[in-house]
Amino acid sequence: MSPPRFFLDQTLSPGARFSLPAGPARHAARALRLAAGDAVTLFNGRGGEYTASVERIARDEVAVTITGFADVERESCLQITLAQGISSGERMDYTLQKAAELGVTAIQPIAAKRSVVRLAAERAAKRVGHWQGVVASACEQCGRNRLPPIAAPMPLAQWLGARGDERLLFLSPFAQTRLADLAAPAGRDVLIAGPEGGFEADEIAALHAAGAVPIRLGPRVLRTETAALAALAAMQTLWGDF
């Protein structure tokens, strides 16, 4: 069984000795019931991973020593940004968790007109922090050593106005084009998925004006928390590492 993995947002180096932060320490001591001498893997999201050994456990304090570094990456060969219409509660968490597992490079939450959740500035910052925790946990589980960054939520039109030369693909049950009809990506793809209820007519018009290609995922209408994930899995199958 592989050693448990912990994400630490700090500088790591072989030979360093320190105590795990409160959250990982509680998980290591209470849930995993680790003991002195057990091996763990640490990563900080900046590439590579560190082998470490538990030196001491006292209640919720877990002291570790880093014993080595492995320059290993498990990133997808595809460069995909997920622009996801903000959905409510656990739906958004689920989408971002699985998107990280499926290898997205970056995440852009979209404050769409039909988004049930409305985020003011302070609340938006807290929600992004929560989503970053969800993504970090997903990377701990799936073996990624780089965390896909999560941008601040933006309205669709504002975000489209700042786009570069990426290929834009948006999911639409009314489209005729399938992912299998497209050429393999030559650079970065941006996959755009709507919230509950999809995008409004003016948002769809803005997507067309920006050159986004509407994509259909078969004859069935998928829910917001599964549509992007189905598309990401298909993209990995067609052009990626599946």
Side-chain angles (χ1 to χ4, degrees):
M1 187 175 179
S2 299
R5 289 167 45 86
F6 297 99
F7 167 71
L8 302 181
D9 188 14
Q10 63 187 63
T11 300
L12 301 174
S13 60
R17 303 178 69 182
F18 55 90
S19 293
L20 296 179
R26 282 194 300 271
H27 184 62
R30 298 185 185 182
L32 299 177
R33 299 185 180 275
L34 297 183
D38 286 345
V40 295
T41 299
L42 309 177
F43 68 106
N44 58 12
R46 300 163 203 169
E49 60 190 23
Y50 297 80
T51 56
S53 176
V54 175
E55 296 296 323
R56 183 183 72 259
I57 293 184
R59 294 187 179 180
D60 288 340
E61 181 186 2
V62 179
V64 299
T65 298
I66 295 180
T67 56
F69 173 75
D71 187 14
V72 59
E73 300 295 349
R74 302 178 184 92
E75 296 301 294
S76 171
C77 58
L78 300 179
Q79 297 290 305
I80 305 174
T81 294
L82 172 61
Q84 174 68 47
I86 298 172
S87 56
S88 57
E90 293 182 357
R91 290 180 175 180
M92 190 70 173
D93 288 359
Y94 180 83
T95 300
L96 300 190
Q97 178 192 67
K98 302 309 176 187
E101 293 176 14
L102 288 165
V104 294
T105 307
I107 297 167
Q108 173 63 63
I110 296 295
K113 293 185 177 180
R114 292 183 182 175
S115 290
V116 174
V117 178
R118 303 291 179 181
L119 299 174
E122 182 178 352
R123 190 179 175 203
K126 290 181 179 179
R127 188 58 62 89
V128 169
H130 168 75
W131 290 332
Q132 288 171 337
V134 170
V135 165
S137 294
C139 290
E140 287 178 343
Q141 182 275 321
C142 73
R144 292 184 68 174
N145 290 322
R146 296 185 183 274
L147 273 60
I150 304 176
M154 294 179 66
L156 180 66
Q158 180 183 351
W159 173 73
L160 286 172
R163 300 309 333 125
D165 58 356
E166 309 102 324
R167 182 170 66 171
L168 304 180
L169 310 173
F170 79 92
L171 302 179
S172 169
F174 309 108
Q176 299 301 314
T177 303
R178 305 175 304 152
L179 284 167
D181 298 326
L182 301 178
R188 183 183 295 271
D189 276 342
V190 179
L191 178 66
I192 307 165
E196 299 98 330
F199 290 118
E200 291 277 12
D202 62 330
E203 292 174 318
I204 294 174
L207 286 166
H208 283 291
V213 179
I215 299 299
R216 186 184 188 196
L217 297 178
R220 296 160 298 280
V221 178
L222 303 184
R223 296 171 67 94
T224 181
E225 65 267 35
T226 55
L229 305 180
L232 289 169
M235 294 167 79
Q236 291 287 12
T237 301
L238 289 169
W239 310 309
D241 52 17
F242 275 21

